[in-house]
Amino acid sequence: MTGVIETPEASDKTGAKQIVHDVEDPPLPSSAGSPDIGPIVTEHEQQNLIRGLSQRHVQMIAIAGAIVRGFPNPGTGLFLGLGGSIATGGPLGALLGYLFVGLIVCAIQFALGEVSALLPVTGSFVRHAEILVDPALAFAIGWNIVYGCFISVPSEISAGVVLIQYWTDINAAVWVTILIVVSVVVAISFIGVYGEVEFIFAILKILLVIFVVILGLVIDLGGIPGKPRLGFHYWKDPGPFVEYISTGSWGHFLGFWAVMTNAVYSFAGVESLAMAAAETKNPRHNIPKACKRVFARVTIFYLAAVLIVGMLVSSADDRLSDESGTAAQSPFVIAAGDAGIKAIPSIVNAVCLTSAWSASNQSILAGTRTLYGLALKGHAPQIFLRTTKWGVPYMCVLLQVAFSLLAYMCVSNNALTVFWWFVDLTAAGTLVSWICIALNHIRLLQALKKQGISPDALPWHNRITRYTSWFALIACVVILFTGGFTVFTKGNWYTASFVSSYLDIPLVLCAYGGYKAIRRTKIIPLDVVPLRQALYEAENDPENVPLKKDSLLSKMNILWG
């Protein structure tokens, strides 16, 4: 029997009504062909993992990840990567590109929040795919994320070494060793330690963003003695758009499209906030709340930064093409140098160094928790289920440590070239993950409709998501297949660019098809998706307690309120 009722007895102490579902049938799915999944949040997760992440941790993990990441410069993201976008698309082209991707991020965050509130499991959208779509998809996406995250760790460490060498010429191997050791210490510590570290580094990055935006406004408006007011001078000369590959309007559009492709990788990381859902306090409320706020804050940071950079530096400035990987390529540093402010390069470089380490820590969290989630469902060896007494999957961390040793390849130029080939293999992983998140949510809504259950029965739901998830899915697929369009234009073929743009697609498809052929899995019928079981578990979750309403001061707080 299906239905939703409200009862006075179901009201909590705050007077808020709780939805109670008519669940006369057993909570476990009973239809033929239903996947044998057991409890949604497994007993192993409940007993061996510890909920040490609060809402402020979850929000800052996602914000920090999005600010620091950026392809092809790991760990640089917002601080160093915007210059290339301005040079490619022009100030307006870059602004529109980041705005469009910001809308996609909004849709992805809402989709992830809705599904995670119902299914707060370790591994997030990988495990969601197991329940809502096909176990073969969970296997393919999961191992793609594990590989991508584990390879990202040595790449972020290598980026950190480059940043350190801005100040010193001590052998790179020394810094690699130090960064690996501190990363492992955080990884093996209680999850709350990781949360606090990320919280502090995120605050530093956010404060730097606010500082450089304010400084940029001062410089632009003529607040530096002896320097003229710039205003929107560079929007007029050389212009709001840049001709990219072609000429005229078509060239302007290609510049915008190239920026949008780059922006996707700059926003990578916002999807990681639910990876440790089983280690998050009250995840059915905290994760949706974080999703609602994170996308807005990240988008505002990026749009403000892109706007300011476009006003400070000409898109024709050759310094934007600097590939040193240090603060020298930052458009904020270029603008500050032109204004005679000499302390900015070291400040930006220092925060970028913390950003590289923060990105490494986040990759460790996402990779180890995804691997743990795969082991829970039999997609990885059971040895990866072993945890410490404080709830850390230490065997997953040890495998990550083995991958971290690849960072020593940065000591040799030839080895470093080979290493970046490994990184290129999963460059499109962000889009693949976003596609999976949107698909999971669409399947959830379709299953609700098929089983006659109102979407309002979900722990958290927004009516607009029935449209935005389709928008995100289509947009991500289009960007994925056109992301490397430059290699198909005359005279611009680069094998490395083609590999980084497209090789991840056949890798995921082969993993999906191979697992499907061996295990003979089927796409889960909508009428047997275990929604009643999931709703039953949500209603009987002792931590599923409505959060206190934010005060006016908290709502105005753009950092962590």
Side-chain angles (χ1 to χ4, degrees):
M1 181 175 179
T2 303
V4 179
I5 59 173
E6 293 180 355
T7 64
E9 294 79 13
S11 299
D12 61 18
K13 293 180 181 180
T14 64
K17 292 183 178 179
Q18 295 179 338
I19 297 176
V20 179
H21 301 271
D22 188 350
V23 286
E24 296 176 3
D25 298 328
L28 296 176
S30 57
S31 303
S34 177
D36 182 18
I37 62 169
I40 302 295
V41 182
T42 66
E43 208 171 302
H44 202 289
E45 289 173 280
Q46 295 178 16
Q47 294 180 353
N48 295 295
L49 300 179
I50 298 176
R51 298 189 185 278
L53 294 178
S54 65
Q55 184 193 121
R56 66 186 177 90
H57 294 142
V58 173
Q59 291 194 45
M60 300 308 269
I61 287 171
I63 291 174
I67 290 177
V68 302
R69 290 187 181 277
F71 183 85
N73 300 302
T76 61
L78 181 63
F79 300 121
L80 307 187
L82 287 184
S85 296
I86 297 293
T88 300
L92 182 55
L95 185 63
L96 292 177
Y98 276 88
L99 177 60
F100 187 83
V101 175
L103 294 176
I104 297 176
V105 171
C106 169
I108 292 298
Q109 288 292 87
F110 272 70
L112 180 62
E114 286 196 14
V115 182
S116 295
L118 179 65
L119 309 170
V121 293
T122 298
S124 185
F125 55 90
V126 175
R127 293 272 300 285
H128 299 161
E130 172 99 17
I131 300 168
L132 298 168
V133 187
D134 188 341
L137 180 62
F139 174 85
I141 298 294
W143 277 106
N144 188 61
I145 291 173
V146 169
Y147 173 77
C149 288
F150 281 6
I151 283 293
S152 291
V153 174
S155 75
E156 301 293 356
I157 291 174
S158 299
V161 171
V162 172
L163 291 164
I164 291 174
Q165 290 177 332
Y166 179 78
W167 295 300
T168 178
D169 58 358
I170 294 177
N171 192 295
V174 175
W175 302 115
V176 170
T177 302
I178 293 174
L179 291 174
I180 287 178
V181 170
V182 293
S183 295
V184 172
V185 169
V186 173
I188 205 67
S189 301
F190 171 57
I191 187 68
V193 173
Y194 166 81
E196 291 300 335
V197 169
E198 286 301 288
F199 182 82
I200 293 171
F201 282 162
I203 292 295
L204 289 176
K205 288 185 278 284
I206 290 172
L207 291 177
L208 180 60
V209 173
I210 295 173
F211 170 72
V212 294
V213 167
I214 294 175
L215 176 64
L217 282 173
V218 172
I219 295 174
D220 182 74
L221 297 176
I224 304 298
K227 299 297 177 181
R229 181 181 183 278
L230 294 173
F232 284 88
H233 170 74
Y234 293 123
W235 284 55
K236 300 175 183 177
D237 182 22
F241 292 98
V242 170
E243 293 181 340
Y244 185 67
I245 296 178
S246 186
T247 58
S249 298
W250 180 240
H252 293 161
F253 174 78
L254 291 180
F256 154 75
W257 196 260
V259 165
M260 190 165 62
T261 302
N262 293 335
V264 167
Y265 301 111
S266 294
F267 279 105
V270 292
E271 71 279 2
S272 64
L273 63 84
M275 278 296 181
E279 297 167 86
T280 302
K281 299 174 183 177
N282 195 359
R284 301 184 192 277
H285 289 275
N286 278 327
I287 289 178
K289 188 172 183 179
C291 286
K292 286 191 295 184
R293 295 185 171 188
V294 166
F295 85 85
R297 293 171 184 177
V298 170
T299 302
I300 289 172
F301 287 144
Y302 268 101
L303 294 184
V306 173
L307 178 62
I308 295 300
V309 167
M311 296 164 65
L312 291 176
V313 184
S314 169
S315 58
D317 194 318
D318 292 336
R319 291 173 294 178
L320 295 178
S321 301
D322 186 297
E323 296 182 356
S324 64
T326 67
Q329 75 180 90
S330 170
F332 298 110
V333 170
I334 293 172
D338 291 344
I341 305 174
K342 302 187 181 202
I344 296 300
S346 288
I347 295 175
V348 172
N349 206 65
V351 176
C352 283
L353 178 58
T354 66
S355 296
W357 185 38
S358 174
S360 173
N361 289 339
Q362 190 182 64
S363 293
I364 293 173
L365 179 75
T368 55
R369 271 44 177 191
T370 300
L371 181 56
Y372 180 85
L374 289 170
L376 278 174
K377 307 310 296 183
H379 300 317
Q382 297 297 292
I383 191 175
F384 293 116
L385 290 177
R386 297 182 182 180
T387 58
T388 63
K389 62 182 179 181
W390 52 88
V392 175
Y394 67 90
M395 292 305 298
C396 297
V397 174
L398 288 178
L399 180 61
Q400 172 273 316
V401 172
F403 274 83
S404 297
L405 298 179
L406 290 172
Y408 285 104
M409 297 175 75
C410 74
V411 177
S412 165
N413 288 333
N414 292 332
L416 186 61
T417 300
V418 175
F419 169 63
W420 284 113
W421 290 348
F422 289 120
V423 176
D424 285 343
L425 293 179
T426 53
T430 296
L431 285 167
V432 172
S433 296
W434 290 3
I435 288 170
C436 183
I437 292 171
L439 181 61
N440 288 339
H441 182 256
I442 290 169
R443 289 278 299 177
L444 172 63
L445 294 183
Q446 290 176 338
L448 286 168
K449 183 177 181 181
K450 182 73 173 180
Q451 297 181 30
I453 302 174
S454 170
D456 295 329
L458 294 172
W460 184 62
H461 175 64
N462 192 308
R463 295 180 185 276
I464 196 175
T465 57
R466 68 187 66 182
Y467 309 108
T468 56
S469 289
W470 277 107
F471 158 73
L473 177 65
I474 295 171
C476 287
V477 170
V478 171
I479 296 173
L480 178 63
F481 282 97
T482 61
F485 73 90
T486 56
V487 301
F488 300 112
T489 58
K490 187 176 180 180
N492 290 305
W493 173 265
Y494 295 100
T495 303
S497 296
F498 176 80
V499 169
S500 65
S501 297
Y502 295 113
L503 188 58
D504 204 43
I505 299 174
L507 286 178
V508 171
L509 292 178
C510 287
Y512 175 76
Y515 188 90
K516 201 167 183 63
I518 295 172
R519 295 292 184 91
R520 299 187 180 280
T521 65
K522 295 181 180 179
I523 295 177
I524 299 170
L526 294 174
D527 57 347
V528 297
V529 172
L531 294 179
R532 289 184 178 81
Q533 176 188 347
L535 291 169
Y536 177 85
E537 290 186 20
E539 292 159 6
N540 290 275
D541 181 0
E543 284 204 21
N544 187 11
V545 180
L547 302 175
K548 293 181 180 179
K549 290 186 177 180
D550 291 332
S551 64
L552 179 61
L553 180 62
S554 180
K555 289 181 179 179
M556 295 173 63
N557 183 359
I558 68 168
L559 295 182
W560 62 82

